[in-house]
Amino acid sequence: MNTPTHAILNLAILGRKSRPEWNGPIIWGGLIPDLAMFVFYGWGKLATDMSESQIWGEAYYEPFWQNLFDFWNSIPLALLGVGLGLWLSRQQRYRALGMAAALCCFSIVMHCLADLPVHREDAHRHFWPLTNYRFESPISYWDPAHNGDIFVIFELGLALVTSVYVFRLLQSPLTKGLLIFSNVLSSDAKNNSLSSSSLDQVALI
């Protein structure tokens, strides 16, 4: 899935209108697994002379980057974070911090679970460090050769419908504006991926 969709879905599931302080950790949890990808892409575009096809077809699969991606997409590590956060939340002094950490890490788990059924050769080792196994799904979230063109439309509709609900959870004009902006950005990215079958024409994540 595309990064904004993760944040929107996680907020819809975990967010509570009565607990606006939860929104930040939930949103960050939806973003964190993909942040290393943005760093990688920025490095590829700004620090090297690689083409888009080289970035996504070659550099993406280098062990250093794969290890970095998989660290932030590890379900066991995120669950460990949930446990530590819940333990910390039992301490009166650190209750708010612990709850924020638990929510953030659980949001990371949800991000990973949403990615599992829609990644093929670009799949992560979601169960590292327990195993190096990668689940290569028959469905791709971007590749038209593996139903990516269909999934793009499904994801776009899901994100837009969910955003209507999420909009009601948000209280500040800034976060509401960011939600609208993310939908516009995602719509543009999905339109681009519909019009091309190559990875270097797809949205960043």
Side-chain angles (χ1 to χ4, degrees), residues 13-31:
I13 295 171
L14 299 177
R16 298 292 182 271
K17 192 171 185 179
S18 61
R19 304 302 295 267
E21 70 274 15
W22 289 5
N23 293 345
I26 294 169
I27 292 172
W28 275 110
L31 302 177

Side-chain angles (χ1 to χ4, degrees), residues 39-69:
V39 173
F40 159 74
Y41 185 74
W43 165 81
K45 293 296 289 185
L46 301 177
T48 73
D49 294 325
M50 289 188 294
S51 65
E52 292 282 331
S53 60
Q54 288 176 312
I55 290 174
W56 296 113
E58 298 175 17
Y60 176 86
Y61 295 101
E62 291 178 359
F64 170 80
W65 290 112
Q66 285 293 301
N67 290 334
L68 185 62
F69 301 152

Side-chain angles (χ1 to χ4, degrees), residues 23 41 46 58 60 68 107 120 148 155 159 171 195 198 202:
N23 293 345
Y41 185 74
L46 301 177
E58 298 175 17
Y60 176 86
L68 185 62
S107 186
R120 285 183 52 79
E155 183 183 344
Q171 296 185 1
S195 62
S198 61
V202 185

Side-chain angles (χ1 to χ4, degrees), residues 1 5 8-9 151-163:
M1 280 187 173
T5 304
I8 293 169
L9 290 180
F151 186 81
V152 162
I153 298 172
F154 168 77
E155 183 183 344
L156 177 60
L158 179 63
L160 290 175
V161 171
T162 308
S163 293

Side-chain angles (χ1 to χ4, degrees), residues 10-173:
N10 289 6
L11 194 55
I13 295 171
L14 299 177
R16 298 292 182 271
K17 192 171 185 179
S18 61
R19 304 302 295 267
E21 70 274 15
W22 289 5
N23 293 345
I26 294 169
I27 292 172
W28 275 110
L31 302 177
I32 283 174
D34 287 341
L35 292 184
M37 196 80 69
F38 287 103
V39 173
F40 159 74
Y41 185 74
W43 165 81
K45 293 296 289 185
L46 301 177
T48 73
D49 294 325
M50 289 188 294
S51 65
E52 292 282 331
S53 60
Q54 288 176 312
I55 290 174
W56 296 113
E58 298 175 17
Y60 176 86
Y61 295 101
E62 291 178 359
F64 170 80
W65 290 112
Q66 285 293 301
N67 290 334
L68 185 62
F69 301 152
D70 295 342
F71 175 86
W72 294 108
N73 282 273
S74 169
I75 294 176
L77 292 182
L79 287 175
L80 179 62
V82 173
L84 291 175
L86 291 176
W87 174 81
L88 196 61
S89 70
R90 295 178 181 175
Q91 318 300 316
Q92 183 66 32
R93 185 177 179 180
Y94 301 107
R95 178 168 297 175
L97 177 62
M99 190 63 185
L103 282 168
C104 180
C105 289
F106 192 71
S107 186
I108 291 174
V109 172
M110 292 178 60
H111 178 122
C112 296
L113 291 176
D115 270 350
L116 266 173
V118 291
H119 280 253
R120 285 183 52 79
E121 67 279 355
D122 53 356
H124 299 295
R125 291 174 292 172
H126 283 298
F127 304 102
W128 183 90
L130 301 181
T131 175
N132 287 321
Y133 172 75
R134 300 175 190 268
F135 173 68
E136 295 189 11
S137 172
I139 300 173
S140 169
Y141 79 102
W142 65 268
D143 189 353
H146 300 284
N147 301 304
D149 49 350
I150 298 174
F151 186 81
V152 162
I153 298 172
F154 168 77
E155 183 183 344
L156 177 60
L158 179 63
L160 290 175
V161 171
T162 308
S163 293
V164 175
Y165 171 73
V166 169
F167 192 83
R168 300 175 183 176
L169 296 177
L170 304 176
Q171 296 185 1
S172 75

